Amino acid sequence: MSYHCLSSQNLWGEDKFKWTRFVGLGIWYTSSSGHQNIEEQVLQMDNLDVWLKGPPNKKDYNGIQWTRLYQMVIASDDGKKIPRSSPEKCLSALLSHSQLQFAFDFAMSYPAGISALPFQAAGGDEVHTYTLANHPKLAFLWKHVIPRAPECYGTTFKNEEADITELVSVKPGGYTFGIVFVDSKEYENLSKLIHRQWSTNLVSHPMFSAFISSLHLNFRIDKIHQHIKTETRRVEARTGHHCFNSLQQFPAPGDLRELLATMSGFATKLAGTSRKMEFLREVYQFIHTQMDSKYDGHKSNLIEGEERRDCMDMGQQVKLMQHRLAMQRLESDFILARVEVQMNAMFHLTSQQDSVNGIHIANATQATAVVSLQESSFMKILTLMAVTFLPGNFVAALFSASLFGSETAANMITIANKPLFALFWIITIPLTLFICIVVVVCVFIQNRNTQKKIRVAQDQLTNRSQERRTS
């Protein structure tokens, strides 16, 4: 069968024993006063068997009869190891006693969803098993047992005042046993939900576990919305892109790029809340389907008298939550629109900052180019001086001429010009003048072209800056 094949895979990972703390809760009801009592106990291997096999009915010291309507175990991780106990053994014992091993494997096989497994008959009773999973924060397994004959759940106790023995029967709506796996951060919220005073018809309903899970997810959605709205107000105060006259919020610290990344993360988280809201819609639809099915063990014809009018309590609650879910969806869309506006605003502001920084860099580059141009002018002067002397060296080397000679007469040394001396100057002076004129003309032409290019570049930068300002 398909569900047996699907239960063979585990999408939640192999670390199944991260739940190290098991807390047992029992909701007890007395028909004499209509009050409820919730008993809580930390479960370990030494007291687990006693708690699981506890009687469904009991009397207190005042002689009041109490009936257990709902029994559940909250498995979480408190960061501590249970002393003298093993979480693997506790989990195995819980699943074995409640016969929810297959439901556990099936719940671990898909990331999000709610399902009703095929019902079974055990000892003449109908056992309906359900699974709910929302990875990685919540997984709920529960079974609802519908007795065929109400008297099989009767119990005998002695009335001390009348000194007679009476038979008291459990309400024929059945009872529920469930195991919920939650993150340690979500344990407190779920525990507060369970400890509230719920109506008897609501607690005894087979879909009470699904209803509690939907409330838990609803609170998480509201918490996420509140956090994102608070941070978005700070970003709006930073960017100024809003029209809220009453907005009083300190500007968000940090660079705009960091804030842009944060707002992108908020957009992703809002997408996650949309997934949760779609999942809640499926949960409410599932509850309505189970209430309309023939396997619903909470039919109105099982209850007589005044209580019959309260049988629609679960349906009314679900309709209320569906309306609340629609309002949450509107709120989520509004918050997402605000986040997107701030993301676009910060993107444009960042782009403007980059453009201004680019202009500053261009101006700095231009100034560096001017300095380099001035330095190159000095180098040109030195080059011109070198050119002035190069022709003479060239001519002297070319002719290898001795321009001066010495003579000794009457013990005196005289220096006289040789005939090549005049020829040297006749060649050198015109050649030097010609070369200098050529160099000066080349430098002038080059400087004019350079200045022209600089003016063109400045005009382009100015035009681009004006275009950005006008746009």
Side-chain angles (χ1 to χ4, degrees):
M1 289 177 282
S2 60
Y3 51 86
H4 283 285
C5 297
L6 291 174
S7 63
S8 62
Q9 59 179 349
N10 183 7
L11 300 182
W12 286 52
E14 296 299 330
D15 187 17
K16 297 187 295 185
F17 301 111
K18 59 183 179 181
W19 305 290
T20 57
R21 185 171 186 260
F22 299 91
V23 178
L25 296 174
I27 301 179
W28 296 80
Y29 166 79
T30 175
S31 59
S32 60
S33 61
H35 292 165
Q36 293 181 11
N37 183 31
I38 299 178
E39 295 181 352
E40 181 175 341
Q41 183 179 359
V42 178
L43 302 179
Q44 301 178 9
M45 287 303 298
D46 53 359
N47 64 352
L48 181 62
D49 188 66
V50 176
W51 185 83
L52 290 174
K53 296 180 180 180
N57 300 295
K58 67 178 181 179
K59 288 177 58 178
D60 59 13
Y61 59 91
N62 293 323
I64 299 176
Q65 174 79 7
W66 293 86
T67 301
R68 185 175 60 203
L69 298 178
Y70 191 84
Q71 190 177 19
M72 69 175 298
V73 178
I74 303 179
S76 64
D77 179 16
D78 60 352
K80 301 177 182 179
K81 292 294 183 182
I82 301 178
R84 296 176 288 102
S85 179
S86 171
E88 295 90 342
K89 294 181 179 179
C90 283
L91 180 60
S92 178
L94 284 171
L95 296 176
S96 176
H97 177 271
S98 60
Q99 298 179 351
L100 291 175
Q101 180 65 53
F102 174 72
F104 175 79
D105 295 336
F106 186 78
M108 298 295 108
S109 67
Y110 59 110
I114 182 170
S115 302
L117 302 181
F119 76 97
Q120 300 174 350
D125 301 334
E126 287 187 6
V127 180
H128 299 269
T129 306
Y130 307 91
T131 63
L132 182 148
N134 185 32
H135 182 270
K137 300 290 186 179
L138 176 67
F140 212 140
L141 330 169
W142 74 95
K143 67 175 182 178
H144 185 75
V145 180
I146 303 174
R148 288 292 187 182
E151 58 270 12
C152 67
Y153 285 92
T155 183
T156 302
F157 66 94
K158 187 175 182 180
N159 191 327
E160 299 293 342
E161 297 180 357
D163 195 19
I164 59 176
T165 300
E166 296 180 353
L167 182 66
V168 180
S169 299
V170 181
K171 194 176 182 179
Y175 71 94
T176 303
F177 179 89
I179 306 175
V180 56
F181 302 90
V182 295
D183 187 81
S184 58
K185 298 179 181 179
E186 309 295 333
Y187 169 79
E188 184 177 356
N189 181 33
L190 185 61
S191 179
K192 287 181 180 179
L193 282 175
I194 298 296
H195 281 79
R196 293 182 179 271
Q197 289 293 322
W198 302 100
S199 66
T200 304
N201 279 318
L202 201 62
V203 175
S204 60
H205 199 279
M207 293 292 104
F208 179 68
S209 300
F211 181 72
I212 286 293
S213 301
S214 68
L215 287 179
H216 176 68
L217 293 175
N218 256 287
F219 289 159
R220 285 176 54 189
I221 292 174
D222 290 336
K223 187 176 180 180
I224 292 173
H225 283 175
Q226 186 63 31
H227 172 68
I228 295 178
K229 283 195 296 185
T230 302
E231 296 300 324
T232 303
R233 293 191 193 102
R234 300 177 65 188
V235 175
E236 289 171 344
R238 172 70 178 274
T239 61
H241 285 66
H242 64 87
C243 59
F244 303 107
N245 296 327
S246 60
L247 182 63
Q248 297 179 357
Q249 190 80 26
F250 291 105
D255 185 71
L256 286 179
R257 290 179 176 83
E258 296 179 358
L259 295 178
L260 182 59
T262 301
M263 299 304 285
S264 299
F266 287 160
T268 303
K269 186 168 289 188
L270 287 172
T273 58
S274 298
R275 172 177 173 265
K276 291 184 180 67
M277 287 186 287
E278 185 66 21
F279 172 68
L280 285 176
R281 189 185 68 83
E282 293 295 332
V283 171
Y284 297 141
Q285 184 64 35
F286 180 83
I287 293 176
H288 279 301
T289 302
Q290 294 300 315
M291 291 176 63
D292 296 336
S293 67
K294 64 180 180 179
Y295 298 116
D296 184 9
H298 204 266
K299 291 294 185 180
S300 59
N301 57 6
L302 296 177
I303 302 176
E304 302 294 338
E306 295 294 330
E307 291 182 341
R308 184 164 184 170
R309 293 181 299 184
D310 297 331
C311 291
M312 295 302 295
D313 191 17
M314 175 62 74
Q316 293 172 356
Q317 293 285 346
V318 171
K319 288 181 181 179
L320 177 63
M321 295 307 299
Q322 284 178 323
H323 178 71
R324 176 183 173 86
L325 181 63
M327 297 299 101
Q328 282 181 321
R329 191 179 298 277
L330 291 177
E331 181 73 8
S332 181
D333 294 339
F334 173 66
I335 297 174
L336 180 59
R338 292 176 62 179
V339 169
E340 290 177 346
V341 167
Q342 297 307 312
M343 289 175 60
N344 294 331
M346 286 186 291
F347 177 78
H348 291 299
L349 290 174
T350 303
S351 299
Q352 291 177 3
Q353 289 181 354
D354 293 339
S355 299
V356 173
N357 293 333
I359 293 173
H360 291 329
I361 293 173
N363 292 333
T365 304
Q366 180 183 357
T368 304
V370 171
V371 173
S372 300
L373 181 62
Q374 293 176 353
E375 293 177 353
S376 63
S377 299
F378 291 115
M379 295 301 296
K380 291 175 183 178
I381 294 173
L382 294 176
T383 303
L384 184 60
M385 294 177 63
V387 168
T388 304
F389 294 96
L390 281 177
N393 294 333
F394 172 73
V395 174
L398 180 63
F399 292 96
S400 298
S402 298
L403 303 180
F404 301 97
S406 61
E407 296 179 356
T408 304
N411 296 325
M412 295 180 63
I413 300 175
T414 60
I415 299 175
N417 296 331
K418 291 187 176 182
L420 292 178
F421 179 77
L423 182 62
F424 169 77
W425 289 111
I426 292 172
I427 297 175
T428 301
I429 292 174
L431 183 60
T432 301
L433 292 175
F434 175 76
I435 294 175
C436 288
I437 292 172
V438 172
V439 171
V440 169
V441 171
C442 293
V443 171
F444 175 77
I445 295 174
Q446 184 179 3
N447 289 338
R448 187 177 64 180
N449 294 334
T450 302
Q451 293 296 332
K452 185 177 180 180
K453 292 179 180 179
I454 292 175
R455 285 194 300 269
V456 171
Q458 290 177 346
D459 293 339
Q460 291 178 352
L461 290 176
T462 303
N463 294 333
R464 290 177 183 175
S465 299
Q466 292 177 354
E467 289 177 358
R468 291 192 185 97
R469 291 173 184 174
T470 55
S471 61

